Amino acid sequence: MRALTRRETLQGLAAACVACDGAAQVPGTCATASTGTAPGYCLVEPVLVRVDAGALLAEGEAVLVRVDDQTGVIVARDAQGYFARSAVCTHACCLVTLCDDDTCTGLLSALAACGPVGPSTSGRALCPCHGSEFDLATGAPQTGPATVDLPAYEVSVDGTDLVVDTARVVAVAARTAA
Ligand code: FES
């Protein structure tokens, strides 16, 4: 697959974001199955997501990028490098958001608009629809009703940006060198 140029990626993001400003998140409205039993469970089609300045994340930080009302990714950095997770809840496909502390008592954003949210150092994401909470390092749900991990995606470094390819699901322990 040909890699998208920076211009193409940004154009794609801009086009996808038109519909997501202020969009309500309604559980179960995904275009495909919402049971969360397979990677890519509710993505309409794979996307390349460029995270501007993502490579400048400090260790322990994470940023969420919402592409549209059904698609989003989280990129993060730990001691081993960069990693990416789906931001789509495995329960019924709502977009999660990042917590503002490690007990998830507050949210960094209600995801009302497109674009980046963060950085957050909580290591946690919370789904606003039914309260599932996820550990970013493993993708695993810490509280239900979700029972399936957030998929891990391939992430590459392009200058100071990170590029996430949601067509490429990788092992949860995979890291890209910082
Ligand atoms: S969609 Fe139900 S907890 Fe996320």
Side-chain angles (χ1 to χ4, degrees):
M1 182 176 69
R2 183 179 70 84
L4 292 182
T5 65
R6 178 183 175 85
R7 171 182 288 266
E8 287 169 332
T9 305
L10 291 174
Q11 285 175 336
L13 280 176
C17 279
V18 169
C20 89
D21 287 322
Q25 293 190 37
V26 181
T29 58
C30 301
T32 56
S34 61
T35 55
T37 55
Y41 45 94
C42 53
L43 297 178
V44 176
E45 60 182 52
V47 291
L48 277 179
V49 182
R50 178 174 292 274
V51 183
D52 289 334
L56 303 181
L57 282 174
E59 190 177 315
E61 289 184 333
V63 168
L64 185 152
V65 176
R66 182 181 184 182
V67 176
D68 59 29
D69 60 355
Q70 296 180 341
T71 311
V73 298
I74 297 167
V75 293
R77 180 178 177 182
D78 65 12
Q80 284 72 50
Y82 303 108
F83 59 96
R85 303 278 177 261
S86 169
V88 183
C89 181
T90 55
H91 175 235
C93 303
C94 290
L95 287 186
V96 301
T97 190
L98 296 173
C99 300
D100 68 358
D101 62 38
D102 59 9
T103 56
C104 254
T105 53
L107 298 179
L108 214 58
S109 162
L111 284 179
C114 303
V117 173
S120 164
T121 58
S122 69
R124 299 262 174 164
L126 182 71
C127 179
C129 287
H130 311 107
S132 292
E133 186 179 321
F134 297 89
D135 177 75
L136 296 184
T138 63
Q142 306 300 293
T143 62
T147 59
V148 175
D149 297 357
L150 297 174
Y153 295 136
E154 183 179 274
V155 57
S156 56
V157 180
D158 183 12
T160 59
D161 298 343
L162 295 179
V163 178
V164 179
D165 186 349
T166 68
R168 296 179 180 273
V169 175
V170 298
V172 67
R175 298 291 185 270
T176 298

